[in-house]
């Protein structure tokens, strides 16, 4: 009974939070570009735009290219989307076990599952039987290869500091001065996370101006909508992970015991806004710049952070 | 000033954030009508009383989008030795699917029968329906705005200049 409710709540959050972030992107991006964004759907400032989009996507014909590998093509959106749902289950929202399913090796689980999303990308790319899709998919794979390492190293630093792999345990152990101590890891984790979910400026795999739409080129209708949902779910997941690992999750200046979940949500939305903000402000990185950033800046920074974490940890115990 | 590394990145973020806090200039068109500048080229209106069927507009039109039909009417003038003739306009139509809004017809009309109107909402579902006849062109005549006042800091109109020249010349000749 209890687990059923938890799963339902997580599923509800999984279906609504990405839509909220998507709507925020519509409006924030529009105003940053001196536009209005959606204004009609739903009456008040286009609040129902994404609902209307969803209805539209459902009505569209489900086209599968003749040369496509049908089964893989059909499965790819699910493989791309489900990892984020699984991650959301183990992310703690508030104190006293306010989490879908507490897991002692939560961090390990999250990092392992986060890498699965790229398999969906590769499946979509290969099964589409389209050169643009394939190039996009391979770019995605190359990108993940580079950014998975700093992503994991930065997460390892905070796990080392907290002395536990449990996400709730990390939040329990978190202290405000960690904001400075773990700052480089936080930046590395967030940037690598952006690359992990292929958000602009790391959207080389999609790059609509050169690759049509990368691995999404051949998708229409509901499957395309699932990929889009995966993108926004990815934003929520990266924002939530950064919140839990580096920003103290449910801990806030006041009332973090009763309204911890509110603090988590505030932080998640603030970080989601940052993701959107970065998207609007920066142009896409070229393939070589992408790899240079990963291997020459992020990986060394993450390694240096590991050393600092270790030294400080030894010093204070 | 020496550039700080990463300063450009911060400036980019600042610019987008500042833009977000400002009001956008978008006008939601069907709800809010646009402020059209004077002399907007929306549609060509016909003041048919002034038309003498000289056909200049139809002949000067670069893409031949003006259709004119007319017939000759004979009428008697009391005391005149012979009957007089005049042209009567039967049809005047402009195909706005062809029209490129150059305004040559308006420039060339010697009797001021054609005018620019700022009206622009006359789209149709069928391209053939964009050929608008005399009655419609006449209706648009009522939307023609009065000509804008002369810009006080602009160059004087040609007529004023030439009239001044005549006056000055006359002053010179008269002692």
């Amino acid at each position: 009974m209890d687990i059923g409710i938890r799963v339902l709540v997580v599923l509800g959050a999984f279906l609504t939070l990405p839509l909220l972030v998507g709507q925020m992107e519509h409006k924030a991006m529009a105003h940053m570009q001196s536009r209005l964004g959606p204004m009609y759907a739903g009456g008040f400032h286009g609040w129902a735009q994404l609902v209307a989009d969803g209805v539209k996507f459902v009505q569209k014909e489900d086209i599968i290219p003749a040369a496509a590998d049908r089964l893989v093509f059909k499965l790819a959106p699910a493989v791309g989307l489900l990892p984020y749902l699984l991650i959301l289950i183990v992310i703690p929202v508030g104190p006293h076990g306010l989490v879908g399913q507490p897991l002692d090796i939560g961090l390990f689980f999250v990092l392992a599952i986060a890498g699965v999303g790229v398999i969906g990308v590769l499946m979509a790319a290969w099964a589409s039987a389209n050169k643009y899709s394939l190039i996009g998919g391979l770019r995605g794979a190359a990108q993940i290869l580079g950014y998975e390492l700093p992503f994991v190293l930065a997460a390892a630093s905070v796990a080392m500091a907290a002395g536990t792999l449990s996400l709730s345990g990390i939040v329990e152990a978190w202290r405000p001065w960690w904001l400075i101590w773990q700052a480089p890891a936080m930046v590395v984790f967030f940037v690598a996370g952006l690359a992990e979910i292929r958000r602009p400026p790391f959207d080389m795999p999609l790059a609509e101006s050169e690759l049509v739409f990368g691995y999404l080129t051949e998708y229409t209708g509901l499957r395309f909508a699932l990929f889009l949902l995966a993108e926004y779910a990815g934003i929520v997941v990266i924002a939530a992970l950064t919140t839990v690992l580096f920003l103290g999750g449910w801990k806030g200046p006041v009332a973090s015991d009763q309204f911890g979940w509110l603090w988590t949500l505030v932080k998640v939305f603030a970080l989601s806004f940052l993701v959107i903000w970065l998207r609007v402000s920066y142009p896409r990185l070229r393939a070589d710049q992408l790899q240079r950033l990963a291997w020459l800046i992020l990986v060394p920074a993450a390694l240096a952070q590991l050393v600092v974490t270790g030294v400080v940890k030894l010093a204070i115990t | 000033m020496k550039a700080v590394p990463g300063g450009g990145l911060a400036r980019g973020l600042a610019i987008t954030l500042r833009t977000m806090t400002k009001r956008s200039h978008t006008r939601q068109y069907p709800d809010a009508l646009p402020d059209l500048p004077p002399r907007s080229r929306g549609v060509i209106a016909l003041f048919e009383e002034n038309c003498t069927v000289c056909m200049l507009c139809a002949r000067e039109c670069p893409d031949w989008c003006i259709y004119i039909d007319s017939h000759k009417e004979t009428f008697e003038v009391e005391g005149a030795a012979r009957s007089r003739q005049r042209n009567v306009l039967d049809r005047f139509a402009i195909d706005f699917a062809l029209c490129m809004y150059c305004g040559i017809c308006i420039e060339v009309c010697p009797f001021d029968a054609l005018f620019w109107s700022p009206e622009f909402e006359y789209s149709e579902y069928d391209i053939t329906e964009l050929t608008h006849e005399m009655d419609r062109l006449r209706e648009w005549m009522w939307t023609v705005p009065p000509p804008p006042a002369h810009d006080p800091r602009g160059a004087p109109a040609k007529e004023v200049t030439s009239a001044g020249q005549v006056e000055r010349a006359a002053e010179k000749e008269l002692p």
Side-chain angles (χ1 to χ4, degrees), chain A residues 26-114:
Chain A
H26 266 318
K27 296 305 274 187
M29 185 157 81
H31 284 282
M32 282 177 176
Q33 296 170 340
S34 207
R35 298 182 289 115
L36 289 175
M39 286 299 281
Y40 281 96
F44 181 74
H45 285 259
W47 67 269
Q49 182 61 43
L50 287 175
V51 180
D53 278 350
V55 172
K56 182 194 75 176
F57 278 129
V58 169
Q59 291 169 341
K60 281 194 168 184
E61 186 186 359
D62 182 22
I63 298 171
I64 300 175
D69 190 335
R70 297 182 71 87
L71 185 67
V72 181
F73 187 84
K74 282 181 175 175
L75 273 178
V79 177
L81 184 61
L82 278 181
Y84 297 123
L85 176 60
L86 291 177
I87 291 175
L88 224 51
I89 289 179
V90 300
I91 288 180
V93 180
H96 318 305
L98 197 57
V99 49
Q101 175 62 51
L103 209 59
D104 280 345
I105 52 160
L107 184 59
F108 180 76
F109 174 80
V110 161
L111 293 177
I113 295 285

Side-chain angles (χ1 to χ4, degrees), chain B residues 80-137:
Chain B
R82 56 178 175 81
S83 53
R84 300 292 161 88
Q85 288 178 325
R86 69 170 166 222
N87 287 324
V88 177
L89 189 62
D90 293 329
R91 177 180 188 230
F92 191 104
I94 299 178
D95 187 351
F96 285 103
L98 285 179
C99 178
M100 59 186 201
Y101 300 86
C102 64
I104 289 178
C105 51
I106 295 164
E107 293 289 320
V108 86
C109 180
F111 301 105
D112 279 352
L114 292 172
F115 294 89
W116 277 120
S117 154
E119 206 64 24
F120 61 94
E121 291 169 311
Y122 53 95
S123 55
E124 299 286 348
Y125 286 106
D126 194 317
I127 195 167
T128 56
E129 287 163 19
L130 274 170
T131 306
H132 290 301
E133 299 290 338
M134 216 149 68
D135 47 346
R136 191 84 195 273
L137 297 178

Side-chain angles (χ1 to χ4, degrees), chain A residues 28 31-36 39-40 273 277-278 280-282, chain B residues 9-10 12-14 16-17 19-20 24-26 28 30-31:
Chain A
H31 284 282
M32 282 177 176
Q33 296 170 340
S34 207
R35 298 182 289 115
L36 289 175
M39 286 299 281
Y40 281 96
F273 177 78
W277 191 10
L278 292 172
V280 180
S281 303
Y282 297 142
Chain B
L9 297 177
L13 287 177
T16 44
L17 195 66
T19 314
M20 191 178 76
S24 98
H25 297 286
T26 310
Q28 296 282 83
D31 298 337

Side-chain angles (χ1 to χ4, degrees), chain A residues 214-229:
Chain A
Y215 54 89
L216 299 177
T217 304
E218 296 291 358
Y219 281 90
T220 57
L222 206 52
R223 291 179 210 287
F224 182 72
L226 287 181
F227 267 121
L228 282 191
L229 183 64

Side-chain angles (χ1 to χ4, degrees), chain A residues 1-13:
Chain A
M1 185 58 199
D2 182 47
I3 189 76
I5 291 172
R6 279 162 190 267
V7 166
L8 277 181
V9 168
V10 170
L11 190 65

Side-chain angles (χ1 to χ4, degrees), chain A residues 259-279:
Chain A
F259 293 109
W261 56 274
L262 207 57
W263 278 116
T264 309
L265 277 183
V266 166
K267 289 172 185 173
V268 166
F269 276 107
L271 283 172
S272 304
F273 177 78
L274 184 59
V275 173
I276 294 162
W277 191 10
L278 292 172
R279 179 208 169 144

